[in-house]
Amino acid sequence: MTTRRQVMKLAAFAASQTALMGAVRAEGGVYPGAAASSPLPFAQQTPMRIGAAALRVRDLGKMRTYYTDLLKFDTISADKTEVVLGVDGVALLHLIHRPDAPLEAQTTAGLFHTAFLMPSRADFARWLVHAALARTPFDGFADHHVSEASYLTDPEGNGIEVYSDRPPSAWTWTGDMVTMGTDQLDIDNIVAQTDTTRDQYHTAPKALRIGHMHLRVGDVARGRSFYEGLIGMEPTRLGRPGVAFLSSGRYHHHIGINTWQSAGSGPRNAQETGLAWFSLRIADDAVITDRKRRLAAAGLSGESIADGIAIADPWGTQVRLVKA
């Protein structure tokens, strides 16, 4: 099979009902630009934004290789207990070695997917060709109106989204609610921006970051109470049963929560694989002080960490609020 045929195969899959339904499962089938002075995408210019994520993993070597090959991350640090991967010295993904950990069930609270945001559509195009030529298995693709996305699953069952945003000026808002959808992705139009006959994605773009985290929770109302009332995110898309999208600074969403597979779930088992923690970077010290006050008023003291505070959500996923 030639390289061109492999890319065409990816495009054909993206146009198929199988791929579309994979994306519907990934984002729920919800609803039918960065500032020129900043090298980072808009998602990283808001008062709060996603920093890093940490996964408990059984096979540290295999998982390190998977993410390094998939996204071309650099290894920032590594030992027998933890590998830290990132871009241009910025830590994005911590892999914590738990060789005897049971695999986390997909029906419990936990990670739905970690969403890696390409800085531009051209970067996304180069990455898609890279993944296609490497014959990377995909779960689905979708045009979400605000973004164009692909979905995968890592070797230990953790969901992944790799996506690029449309310019914020192209998003449609009705008051504080943004219009999103799950339509077929025009991969041909995306990869037309690059050479589909060879892999040109040799290193991760310097501005690649985690754009959002999507979580499985036991109850959406309770999740909103935590991520809105205590953490301070604002709702950007509501209305469909079992899901809510929340953000800071009118990004389409930094946090997604759903109960599609996990309704009624209780506390997570911290001995299992899956998401150990993720961080929210906060630009203003006063915001961190305010969040500490909110948590104390709710009877939640949290844990002091370098540059911030760590607090567990109602299902045991640790959220780290740290100074940007």
Side-chain angles (χ1 to χ4, degrees):
M1 179 177 290
T2 67
T3 56
R4 174 62 180 169
R5 286 180 181 173
Q6 184 62 28
V7 174
M8 290 173 66
K9 182 178 179 181
L10 184 152
F13 178 63
S16 73
Q17 185 65 19
T18 300
L20 181 59
M21 290 310 297
V24 169
R25 288 191 296 272
E27 289 290 8
V30 194
Y31 298 95
S37 61
S38 174
L40 293 176
F42 176 63
Q44 290 288 315
Q45 298 181 47
T46 53
M48 289 190 288
R49 55 267 200 181
I50 304 297
L55 302 176
R56 292 185 291 264
V57 304
R58 297 204 298 189
D59 191 328
L60 185 61
K62 185 175 184 178
M63 292 288 277
R64 176 184 183 177
T65 297
Y66 178 84
Y67 281 98
T68 301
D69 289 349
L70 179 71
L71 291 160
K72 297 300 180 184
F73 284 149
D74 301 324
T75 298
I76 294 175
S77 65
D79 59 30
K80 293 181 179 180
T81 61
E82 183 173 344
V83 170
V84 181
L85 304 175
V87 176
D88 197 33
V90 177
L92 297 178
L93 186 65
H94 296 244
L95 302 176
I96 303 168
H97 196 203
R98 296 289 185 270
D100 299 322
L103 287 173
E104 184 176 71
Q106 299 300 303
T107 54
T108 65
L111 178 68
F112 198 62
H113 58 241
T114 304
F116 297 100
L117 174 60
M118 289 290 165
S120 71
R121 197 172 192 245
D123 291 318
F124 186 41
R126 285 189 291 273
W127 177 80
L128 281 171
V129 172
H130 160 73
L133 298 182
R135 304 193 181 196
T136 304
F138 282 87
D139 298 332
F141 304 85
D143 182 333
H144 291 306
H145 301 184
V146 294
S147 63
E148 296 173 297
S150 63
Y151 297 93
L152 312 90
T153 302
D154 77 17
E156 294 192 2
N158 300 292
I160 299 168
E161 177 179 346
V162 180
Y163 73 114
S164 65
D165 277 331
R166 287 196 167 90
S169 60
W171 304 350
T172 300
W173 291 84
T174 302
D176 293 328
M177 298 290 108
V178 69
T179 297
M180 293 192 285
T182 301
D183 297 333
Q184 289 186 355
L185 184 64
D186 189 348
I187 284 190
D188 283 338
N189 184 270
I190 297 172
V191 300
Q193 299 181 84
T194 191
D195 184 350
T196 59
T197 66
R198 61 193 180 97
D199 188 350
Q200 297 187 85
Y201 186 88
H202 305 303
T203 59
K206 290 185 177 182
L208 188 156
R209 294 292 187 273
I210 298 176
H212 65 268
M213 299 294 296
H214 197 145
L215 309 174
R216 302 188 308 264
V217 298
D219 180 81
V220 168
R222 193 177 179 197
R224 287 187 61 192
S225 179
F226 178 84
Y227 286 102
E228 289 181 45
L230 297 179
I231 300 301
M233 289 284 173
E234 300 168 344
T236 56
R237 188 74 265 174
L238 305 171
R240 181 179 175 85
V243 65
F245 297 99
L246 319 167
S247 87
S248 170
R250 286 177 74 86
Y251 185 54
H252 53 75
H253 68 294
H254 288 103
I255 302 290
I257 56 175
N258 77 67
T259 57
W260 300 324
Q261 300 164 288
S262 55
S265 291
R268 298 175 59 203
N269 182 348
Q271 303 305 310
E272 294 180 340
T273 61
L275 182 64
W277 57 263
F278 70 92
S279 63
L280 287 167
R281 297 179 62 82
I282 299 174
D284 189 344
D285 285 333
V287 175
I288 295 180
T289 299
D290 175 74
R291 299 309 183 262
K292 289 180 178 179
R293 178 193 60 77
R294 293 190 193 190
L295 292 168
L300 302 170
S301 59
E303 173 189 350
S304 293
I305 58 173
D307 296 325
I309 186 172
I311 187 71
D313 78 5
W315 297 275
T317 297
Q318 188 184 87
V319 184
R320 298 184 174 186
L321 308 179
V322 298
K323 183 71 171 68

